[in-house]
């Protein structure tokens, strides 16, 4: 609708006015999905460092929005004794987060990764509400069917392939028995728990890089090497600092007090851009391939599927 496009444009202009020039364009991309203002130098550095997914509204952004709205709704309702004692607060908070996810998806232009992430978020919220297991391959398959039902041509595009390959890798990896054992909550000092979390994040990043490298080489003829290490810092920074700061800034702007939050978001984006350019300066940070034959690409995909199938069967037998 025209009013949504106008709202997206107005919101983007407002963000640019509130943030520094060097970080404002990326701040707009994180909220509205509009990457047109990002300089080619910064965009290439983000791609080569393996952090380009931060610029495309997808699972990371929708998860941050859903988590923020769920926390905000549940904590706000808990402040009032009457509704807290009479209504199921988690269910109401999940409903509020679901409406927020749909609204954010429409505001961001409803691209394939955003729609997939929105469908997944809604399924997770429904599963949590009825007490079912949420993060499964069935969820990914259902999300893919929804996207292909609306846009069947998306299957041939890199966005669909990269998006669903990354999510499937995460679910398969973290459903494996050894990864579940590694991720179990233990009575250990905070430093050890944080260290285990960092190791899990690095392992996940390496697995995603290995799976996505053939897809990136086939479609773009280049792929980053150190993306897993860069994302160890970039993903938590975006999820827990930049996007919450931007959300609080937009809320605080209604009273004219959003300045400190915009400053914090700008500092976080500047840190991400520094990491992208720094990682991109490493020797052999980018692998390039002039062209990949279709049969080679299909062979790589078939090998990945065979490996996933073998790992799943082995996990069931163990």
């Amino acid at each position: 609708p025209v009013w949504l496009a106008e709202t997206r444009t107005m919101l983007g202009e407002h963000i640019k006015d509130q943030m520094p020039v060097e970080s404002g364009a990326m701040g707009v991309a994180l909220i509205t999905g509009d990457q047109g203002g990002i300089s080619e130098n910064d965009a290439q550095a983000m791609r080569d460092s393996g952090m380009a997914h931060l610029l495309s509204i997808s699972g990371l952004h929708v998860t941050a929005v859903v988590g923020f709205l769920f926390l905000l709704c549940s904590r706000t309702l808990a402040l009032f004794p009457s509704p807290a004692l009479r209504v199921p607060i988690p269910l109401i908070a999940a409903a509020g987060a679901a409406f927020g996810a749909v609204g954010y998806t429409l505001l961001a232009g409803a691209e394939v990764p955003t729609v997939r992430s929105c469908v997944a978020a809604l399924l997770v919220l429904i599963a949590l509400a009825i007490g079912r297991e949420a993060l499964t391959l069935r969820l990914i398959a259902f999300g893919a069917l929804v996207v292909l039902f609306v846009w069947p041509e998306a299957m041939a595009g890199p966005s669909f392939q990269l998006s669903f390959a990354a999510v499937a890798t995460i679910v398969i990896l973290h459903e494996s028995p050894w990864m579940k054992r590694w991720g179990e909550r233990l009575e250990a000092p905070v430093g050890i728990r944080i260290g285990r979390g960092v190791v899990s994040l690095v392992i996940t990043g390496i697995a995603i890089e290995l799976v996505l490298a053939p897809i990136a080489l086939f479609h773009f003829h280049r792929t980053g090497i150190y993306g897993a290490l860069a994302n160890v810092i970039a993903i938590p920074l975006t999820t827990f600092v930049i996007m919450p700061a931007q959300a609080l800034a937009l809320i605080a702007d209604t009273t004219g007090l959003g300045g400190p939050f915009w400053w914090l978001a700008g500092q976080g984006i500047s840190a991400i851009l520094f990491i992208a350019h720094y990682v991109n300066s490493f020797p052999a940070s980018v692998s390039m391939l002039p062209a990949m034959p279709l049969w080679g690409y299909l062979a790589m995909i078939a090998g990945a599927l065979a490996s996933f199938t073998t790992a799943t069967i082995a996990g069931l037998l163990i």
Side-chain angles (χ1 to χ4, degrees), residues 10-308:
M10 292 173 55
L11 182 59
E13 294 298 327
H14 176 74
I15 295 172
K16 289 180 182 177
D17 292 339
Q18 300 299 319
M19 298 184 70
V21 176
E22 61 273 9
S23 58
M26 188 168 168
V28 173
L30 290 174
I31 297 296
T32 68
D34 182 9
Q35 304 179 28
I38 302 176
S39 67
E40 180 58 31
N41 187 33
D42 288 342
Q44 191 62 53
M46 293 291 290
R47 287 191 290 267
D48 291 343
S49 62
M51 297 192 295
H53 63 93
L54 299 178
L55 303 178
S56 174
I57 305 297
S58 57
L60 178 67
H61 309 76
V62 175
T63 300
V65 170
V66 169
F68 177 79
L69 292 177
F70 187 91
L71 187 64
L72 181 64
C73 293
S74 60
R75 293 297 184 267
T76 301
L77 289 174
L79 294 175
F80 302 95
S82 180
L85 296 174
R86 289 176 173 81
V87 299
I89 289 181
L91 190 59
I92 301 299
F99 280 109
V102 174
Y104 182 58
T105 299
L106 295 175
L107 182 65
E111 299 291 339
V112 171
T114 318
V115 173
R116 186 266 307 162
S117 304
C118 181
V119 172
L122 295 179
L123 291 175
V124 168
L125 291 172
I126 293 173
L128 292 176
I130 63 178
R132 298 292 297 274
E133 180 68 26
L135 300 176
T136 64
L137 290 177
R138 291 190 298 273
L139 180 145
I140 301 173
F142 183 80
L145 288 175
V146 170
V147 173
L148 292 177
F149 180 79
V150 181
W151 301 292
E153 71 279 3
M155 178 180 289
S159 178
F160 180 90
Q161 297 174 18
L162 291 169
S163 178
F164 281 96
V167 178
T169 302
I170 293 173
V171 173
I172 291 173
L173 177 64
H174 287 270
E175 281 190 343
S176 62
W178 65 271
M179 197 65 179
K180 286 183 177 179
R181 288 195 297 269
W182 176 262
E184 290 178 349
R185 292 188 176 183
L186 302 174
E187 295 296 332
V190 176
I192 294 179
R193 294 201 299 270
I194 294 176
R196 291 169 67 93
V198 171
V199 172
S200 298
L201 189 60
V202 172
I203 293 174
T204 304
I206 293 174
I208 293 175
E209 292 292 330
L210 291 175
V211 172
L212 299 190
I215 303 176
L217 286 172
F218 178 75
H219 289 284
F220 308 117
H221 312 297
R222 60 190 297 152
T223 184
I225 302 297
Y226 304 108
L229 300 178
N231 281 296
V232 169
I233 302 175
I235 290 178
L237 189 60
T238 303
T239 306
F240 301 113
V241 177
I242 297 174
M243 294 199 67
Q246 287 185 304
L248 292 173
L250 291 173
I251 295 173
D253 275 348
T254 58
T255 59
L257 300 176
F261 298 109
W262 287 121
W263 177 86
L264 179 60
Q267 296 302 307
I269 292 175
S270 297
I272 285 182
L273 290 175
F274 172 78
I275 294 171
H277 287 283
Y278 180 70
V279 170
N280 196 32
S281 67
F282 289 174
S285 61
V286 179
S287 291
M288 305 183 69
L289 187 68
M292 179 186 296
L294 181 60
W295 65 265
Y297 178 59
L298 294 178
M300 285 187 171
I301 299 300
L305 293 175
S307 299
F308 285 151

